Amino acid sequence: GAGVSQSPSNKVTEKGKDVELRCDPISGHTALYWYRQSLGQGLEFLIYFQGNSAPDKSGLPSDRFSAERTGGSVSTLTIQRTQQEDSAVYLCASSLDSLQGGGEQFFGPGTRLTVL
Amino acid sequence: AQRVTQPEKLLSVFKGAPVELKCNYSYSGSPELFWYVQYSRQRLQLLLRHISRESIKGFTADLNKGETSFHLKKPFAQEEDSAMYYCALRAFTGSARQLTFGSGTQLTVLP
């Protein structure tokens, strides 16, 4: 089957607007992760979902960021009142299970967000 | 909290020369270490993991707990090795089972 998919691939928005980024994980993967990749900053963990457990939101940078995962599959990352510093590539990854599967995460192509 | 440090943002070597990408970590428990690679216009993907003790595309990495390092090495670099390399640590502390990534090293192999 297909790998992790993300949409849109590119998003340009104006400061103050809300944006939604979508992630479709690999079928059967129970763990889903969101990261932010900023120039020169590497990958920054945002949030992680494991099955039906409460998500680990410890990486979300502010309360403007939120994410949900419906039906244990598709996930949406929402950024409210976007700021210019939110500009980055947002990566989604999934894995079989956060405990098993050797820890390998499969990454999507990312969504490049530009806030003007 | 765990931390991964990659001291070199940029690294250039000539084709055929040995290459070493440095990675140091801090973690009080027993870590799992990984190297991920992102080739130009491709997705981030797993290169190798320390528990497998395998060689992928000629690369190896040995976990040195004494020095808390997991350097990536290849004896003879190839132009197709040019990419961004990320070292990552997976720790198990409460619910924190996500990967912690270093800031990455951009490797350029010159002809």
Side-chain angles (χ1 to χ4, degrees):
Chain A
V4 177
S5 61
Q6 292 184 246
S7 61
S9 56
N10 279 284
K11 177 71 177 179
V12 180
T13 190
E14 293 179 348
K15 178 181 173 182
K17 295 288 178 76
D18 298 351
V19 295
E20 283 190 354
L21 311 180
R22 177 188 168 104
C23 172
D24 282 89
I26 292 173
S27 177
H29 281 190
T30 59
L32 186 147
Y33 314 78
W34 282 98
Y35 296 90
R36 180 166 66 177
Q37 187 177 33
S38 304
L39 192 62
Q41 299 296 317
L43 276 80
E44 175 189 7
F45 164 74
L46 298 177
I47 187 170
Y48 134 77
F49 298 88
Q50 172 59 56
N52 295 320
S53 302
D56 177 355
K57 304 178 183 180
S58 59
L60 294 179
S62 78
D63 58 8
R64 296 186 296 105
F65 288 72
S66 63
E68 62 178 23
R69 188 179 185 192
T70 55
S73 181
V74 172
S75 177
T76 302
L77 176 69
T78 301
I79 309 174
Q80 296 178 309
R81 305 181 302 281
T82 53
Q83 304 294 312
Q84 288 183 332
E85 59 263 29
D86 299 335
S87 297
V89 176
Y90 288 82
L91 292 175
C92 176
S94 70
S95 67
L96 277 171
D97 182 276
S98 68
L99 290 178
Q100 301 171 16
E104 180 175 5
Q105 295 182 13
F106 296 82
F107 284 82
T111 293
R112 181 175 296 279
L113 175 65
T114 303
V115 182
L116 302 176
Chain B
Q2 59 271 20
R3 184 182 179 93
V4 177
T5 302
Q6 294 179 250
E8 304 141 327
K9 287 190 182 295
L10 303 171
L11 181 63
S12 295
V13 300
F14 285 102
K15 176 183 174 181
V19 62
E20 180 179 72
L21 290 85
K22 291 184 168 50
C23 172
N24 288 88
Y25 68 91
S26 63
Y27 177 55
S28 57
S30 183
E32 285 186 78
L33 275 298
F34 305 82
W35 277 98
Y36 277 76
V37 62
Q38 189 168 27
Y39 300 102
S40 179
R41 291 184 293 278
Q42 293 189 28
R43 304 178 183 206
L44 190 64
Q45 58 187 288
L46 178 68
L47 179 63
L48 55 79
R49 68 195 85 184
H50 91 271
I51 58 174
S52 300
R53 302 185 65 80
E54 56 197 345
S55 173
I56 303 294
K57 299 184 178 182
F59 284 98
T60 59
D62 291 319
L63 177 60
N64 186 324
K65 292 187 177 181
E67 296 183 358
T68 59
S69 69
F70 188 58
H71 304 327
L72 184 68
K73 301 177 184 179
K74 185 169 182 176
F76 308 103
Q78 302 299 314
E79 289 182 68
E80 57 264 30
D81 296 329
S82 296
M84 177 70 86
Y85 291 81
Y86 292 96
C87 182
L89 178 152
R90 189 167 79 140
F92 294 88
T93 54
S95 66
R97 300 187 180 93
Q98 77 282 359
L99 291 172
T100 298
F101 285 87
S103 56
T105 297
Q106 178 69 51
L107 173 67
T108 302
V109 180
L110 304 168

